[in-house]
Amino acid sequence: MSNKTKIDSIYEKLVNEEDARVCKAIDESACKVVPGNFFITLISYFFNKIADAVANAKVVLPWLMESLSVPMYLISFLVPIKESGSLIPQLFIAAFIRKLPFRKYIWSLGTFLQAVCMILIAIVAWKMEGLDAGLTIIALLIAMSLSRGLCSVAAKDVVGKTIPKTRRGTLNGYSAMLSSILVVAFGIYLLVNSQKPFSPQNFGVLFSIAGFFWILASLTYLRIKEFEGETDGGGNAFSVAISKLSILKTDKPFRLFVITRALFLCAVLSAPFFVVMAQQNSDANAFLLGLFILSNGLADMLSANFWGKFSDQSSRKVMILGASISTSMGFLVVAIDFFYKDLFSYIWLMPIIYFILSIGYQGIRIGRKTYIVDLAEGNKRTDYVAVSNTLIGLILLASGLIGALTSFIGLSGVILVLSIIGLIAIILANKLPEVQED
């Protein structure tokens, strides 16, 4: 059996669908090389997600900065910079990317630049400390986040050209599931070694390995067989970007998706408050941290493949179900805090709730990624991704202010507000049109 035949055979078993549906929403040339492109993209995403897990701005980078005695006010900038920096510029990046018939090179460039930034952060971990280390890490994180923005716009367009409409959710699911193995291993390591400090030198080695994985991702992605795509719509970045905002007014399904996606942020925004609440009710900080990391990794590993395949049937229903799960966990935590506060003394309680929350968030994440790719074709897809990501980035920056509410309504009050927002998002998601219908 030839290598091509083997790849085709494995691919057919993984996607488990009829041949008649193989080439939905891609051209005939791309159809002939779908199995190879599927596995190359999967491997690239696997390397990328492993590296991205190491650069986690919610857990790993704050831990490093604290061990380097970086001022706390700098640590608070990590999540907004990591998330918003990669989203806000996309409306302007897209104007440039639209001019290119081949866009895999943009993704490879973005991952390579992230590798460089990560290796430089490793050097900071080895050589610097205090304010200087913090400022340097923030600067490198900004550069890394902007590089990530290049990847985000290009990736969805390349997938839209090379992977059939009924395979894209499966691709996202498998890549998330496989990469979660490292997160689980890291969580287990922390549990086993919870009494030992994780030194800056350890972080230096860890980040160097992450940089190596990003280089592998960049080189692997170049092997994708991409065919020329549409190049209309290029022009001055600013004027094109502003003009593209008009699709929010003229395209009702897209406008409803952006509003719904913005409200779905409640799931990811509530997660840190779950962790803080657990920390306030436990003295086993290192062990508890390991439990949370393990919970997050296991949630991705066990649910990503399910969400991915379900998204190929109905990404709208996946978002609704994922949001229902995560929102219900918010209401559960609020109820426990008001009526059964003593339950928080059990160290395993919040990690279990966080595990379920993470399963729900994974559904939201995979569902909305699949939905926006399937919602449009050609350059319209690039516009959709750029406009929505830029707006979500701005909203993320503003949403950082929600932490200030804890002074007035406490952690439970903030979680309750976010859960109510989740309910509104679920109602709106039910009004979204199906995009996987034949």
Side-chain angles (χ1 to χ4, degrees):
M1 184 181 291
S2 66
N3 287 335
K4 183 177 181 181
T5 304
K6 289 180 180 178
I7 291 175
D8 290 349
S9 177
I10 297 173
Y11 172 76
E12 290 173 2
K13 291 178 181 178
L14 285 177
V15 300
N16 192 30
E17 287 188 358
E18 299 176 2
D19 288 343
R21 294 167 61 87
V22 166
C23 294
K24 190 173 183 180
I26 63 172
D27 61 37
E28 185 177 349
S29 299
C31 177
K32 297 176 181 178
V33 290
V34 165
N37 279 338
F38 183 91
F39 284 108
I40 291 172
T41 307
L42 179 62
I43 294 169
S44 301
Y45 282 9
F46 171 67
F47 289 144
N48 176 67
K49 288 179 181 293
I50 286 178
D52 200 48
V54 174
N56 188 325
K58 298 174 184 175
V59 179
V60 183
L61 285 176
W63 197 351
L64 167 65
M65 292 178 76
E66 185 176 359
S67 68
L68 294 176
S69 301
V70 172
M72 183 60 64
Y73 69 88
L74 285 180
I75 297 177
S76 67
F77 282 107
L78 289 174
V79 172
I81 289 175
K82 175 78 181 298
E83 299 300 327
S84 301
S86 64
L87 295 175
I88 293 174
Q90 288 189 18
L91 194 57
F92 305 95
I93 294 171
F96 165 72
I97 292 178
R98 269 193 299 271
K99 300 177 183 179
L100 306 176
F102 300 99
R103 298 164 188 179
K104 65 180 182 180
Y105 303 105
I106 297 297
W107 195 93
S108 292
L109 173 63
T111 50
F112 181 78
L113 292 175
Q114 288 181 87
V116 172
C117 293
M118 192 86 281
I119 292 171
L120 291 175
I121 290 178
I123 294 175
V124 172
W126 284 322
K127 301 292 186 179
M128 301 174 69
E129 62 180 12
L131 179 61
D132 290 340
L135 292 174
T136 305
I137 291 174
I138 290 293
L140 290 171
L141 187 63
I142 292 172
M144 190 165 67
S145 186
L146 293 173
S147 302
R148 189 180 173 203
L150 290 174
C151 297
S152 181
V153 175
K156 291 181 177 64
D157 193 58
V158 173
V159 166
K161 290 197 296 179
T162 60
I163 306 298
K165 196 170 184 178
T166 56
R167 306 288 194 262
R168 297 162 187 168
T170 301
L171 174 66
N172 287 326
Y174 275 125
S175 62
M177 179 186 68
L178 292 174
S179 63
S180 64
I181 295 173
L182 179 66
V183 181
V184 171
F186 189 35
I188 293 174
Y189 173 85
L190 289 176
L191 291 179
V192 174
N193 299 276
S194 59
Q195 302 303 317
K196 299 179 181 179
F198 201 74
S199 69
Q201 289 70 33
N202 295 139
F203 277 110
V205 174
L206 188 65
F207 291 159
S208 296
I209 294 173
F212 174 71
F213 275 120
W214 258 319
I215 291 174
L216 287 178
S218 177
L219 295 176
T220 303
Y221 204 77
L222 290 174
R223 297 179 62 85
I224 290 176
K225 294 181 180 179
E226 181 187 3
F227 297 88
E228 288 192 27
E230 299 176 28
T231 56
D232 61 294
N236 177 270
F238 183 79
S239 60
V240 171
I242 297 302
S243 67
K244 292 303 176 183
L245 287 173
S246 64
I247 63 177
L248 287 169
K249 181 179 179 180
T250 60
D251 194 325
K252 183 178 179 180
F254 175 66
R255 181 174 67 247
L256 181 59
F257 169 77
V258 172
I259 295 172
T260 304
R261 180 186 172 186
L263 296 177
F264 277 149
L265 288 174
C266 63
V268 67
L269 291 174
S270 64
F273 296 108
F274 281 44
V275 176
V276 171
M277 184 170 286
Q279 288 176 320
Q280 290 182 350
N281 290 277
S282 174
D283 296 325
N285 289 331
F287 188 80
L288 183 64
L289 179 62
L291 285 177
F292 273 107
I293 292 176
L294 183 61
S295 295
N296 187 62
L298 285 175
D300 291 352
M301 180 185 294
L302 297 176
S303 69
N305 188 36
F306 166 77
W307 288 129
K309 291 187 175 182
F310 190 3
S311 289
D312 283 332
Q313 299 174 31
S314 175
S315 52
R316 182 184 71 91
K317 291 179 181 177
V318 166
M319 289 188 288
I320 292 170
L321 180 56
S324 298
I325 293 172
S326 60
T327 300
S328 64
M329 290 302 99
F331 285 119
L332 176 61
V333 168
V334 171
I336 292 174
D337 189 51
F338 273 97
F339 303 109
Y340 307 100
K341 200 175 183 69
D342 290 344
L343 291 177
F344 286 129
S345 62
Y346 296 97
I347 193 172
W348 48 263
L349 175 66
M350 287 302 289
I352 289 177
I353 294 176
Y354 189 86
F355 168 76
I356 300 173
L357 173 78
S358 298
I359 287 177
Y361 176 65
Q362 186 67 257
I364 295 173
R365 186 169 176 271
I366 291 177
R368 56 97 173 161
K369 281 188 174 184
T370 306
Y371 190 91
I372 195 170
V373 173
D374 288 352
L375 185 62
E377 306 294 340
N379 266 349
K380 197 172 184 181
R381 180 185 299 114
T382 309
D383 296 336
Y384 276 10
V385 173
V387 171
S388 64
N389 282 354
T390 299
L391 292 175
I392 294 300
L394 291 170
I395 293 170
L396 267 171
L397 277 180
S399 66
L401 298 174
I402 198 170
L405 292 177
T406 56
S407 299
F408 304 98
I409 59 177
L411 287 174
S412 291
V414 171
I415 294 174
L416 179 60
V417 169
L418 291 171
S419 299
I420 293 172
I421 293 174
L423 280 180
I424 298 172
I426 292 169
I427 294 171
L428 291 180
N430 275 283
K431 298 180 181 180
L432 287 169
E434 286 284 359
V435 294
Q436 276 79 34
E437 291 180 346
D438 293 328

